[in-house]
Amino acid sequence: MKILIDNGHGKETPGKCSPDGRLKEYAYTREIADRLVTGLQNEGIDAQRIVPGENDVALFERVRRVNAFGKDAILVSIHCNAMGSGAGWMPANGWSVFVGNNASMNSKRLARQLAQVALNRKVKVRRPSPQKLYWTANFYICQKTNYPAVLVENFFQDYKDDVEFLFSDKGSSVSRICCWKVLRIIKRNIKEICRSLNS
């Protein structure tokens, strides 16, 4: 099984930064994606970024790259959330995970596992209800990918305390480890997961 890591937006995408310009989503998510892929590869897991450069890649092309692998895979798309346009600080904050409106049971299972890891690390997890750990949305990359897919929003780039947290050692660690721990679980149970994906 291959673990495919997507990272949010590109260097030229407007508005994807904190109001003070310190945190730029394209740079932060690529740093986390690189660390995650390296960590997974060091664990013997077949992992790869689908957008290795700094420029944006259209969603349909990202999906084409994912679906072209032609074997069992899992996609994790890494982003930073925002409530506004980036012009000023906003009140929304916290970490969250999304699946597509047409999500498979495997996508939902992966989302629940990611959220539980975040909760175990004492992270504020945004959720639609106390009982439901993940959100459902019409994110193109989640809905069009042929494999289990989740999109992770690593806190808010327009909430001041979240930005400070993301720049801290703990914040960077949380962004990476929430995904890493779950994908290590997947590695340990790879045969069972492959059977469920093929059933």
Side-chain angles (χ1 to χ4, degrees):
M1 179 178 286
K2 196 172 191 72
I3 308 300
L4 302 172
I5 306 299
D6 179 43
N7 35 251
H9 307 291
K11 186 175 184 179
E12 74 282 12
T13 309
K16 302 297 182 181
C17 65
S18 59
D20 59 6
R22 291 175 59 213
L23 189 147
K24 300 188 186 302
E25 183 175 5
Y26 87 90
Y28 185 83
T29 58
R30 279 160 176 74
E31 178 185 345
I32 297 303
D34 278 338
R35 291 187 185 184
L36 179 57
V37 167
T38 299
L40 292 169
Q41 289 174 345
N42 289 342
E43 289 284 320
I45 299 173
D46 187 6
Q48 179 179 332
R49 279 177 57 191
I50 65 167
V51 182
E54 289 190 345
N55 293 329
D56 206 357
V57 171
L59 287 171
F60 71 84
E61 172 59 17
R62 294 178 188 235
V63 168
R64 188 199 66 76
R65 292 180 186 182
V66 172
N67 291 340
F69 280 98
K71 64 175 185 175
D72 290 328
I74 288 174
L75 173 73
V76 179
S77 186
I78 301 172
H79 293 252
C80 292
N81 215 338
M83 184 180 182
S85 63
W89 298 108
M90 305 296 286
N93 60 91
W95 182 97
S96 53
V97 59
F98 291 77
V99 298
N101 289 332
N102 60 344
S104 66
M105 291 306 297
N106 286 305
S107 294
K108 294 174 182 178
R109 185 182 302 123
L110 179 58
R112 281 194 297 270
Q113 289 177 319
L114 284 166
Q116 192 57 60
V117 169
L119 287 170
N120 292 345
R121 295 185 68 82
K122 311 301 181 188
V123 169
K124 177 185 176 181
V125 175
R126 292 171 60 86
R127 40 188 156 170
S129 70
Q131 295 76 31
K132 192 171 183 181
L133 296 178
Y134 60 85
W135 298 81
T136 303
N138 63 340
F139 288 133
Y140 186 92
I141 197 161
C142 290
Q143 298 197 142
K144 299 297 184 180
T145 296
N146 293 337
Y147 309 109
V150 296
L151 186 148
V152 180
E153 293 280 15
N154 288 288
F155 307 95
F156 279 75
Q157 59 197 356
D158 54 5
Y159 182 71
K160 205 164 194 174
D161 288 350
D162 274 3
V163 171
E164 295 300 329
F165 179 71
L166 287 170
F167 276 116
S168 71
D169 289 341
K170 183 178 179 181
S172 175
S173 173
V174 164
S175 298
R176 184 177 73 259
I177 288 175
C178 284
C179 295
W180 189 21
K181 280 184 174 292
V182 170
L183 298 177
R184 288 181 70 188
I185 292 170
I186 289 170
K187 179 191 175 186
R188 291 198 296 269
N189 299 279
I190 198 73
K191 289 183 180 178
E192 178 184 341
I193 290 167
C194 284
R195 282 197 298 270
S196 71
L197 290 175
N198 291 323
S199 61

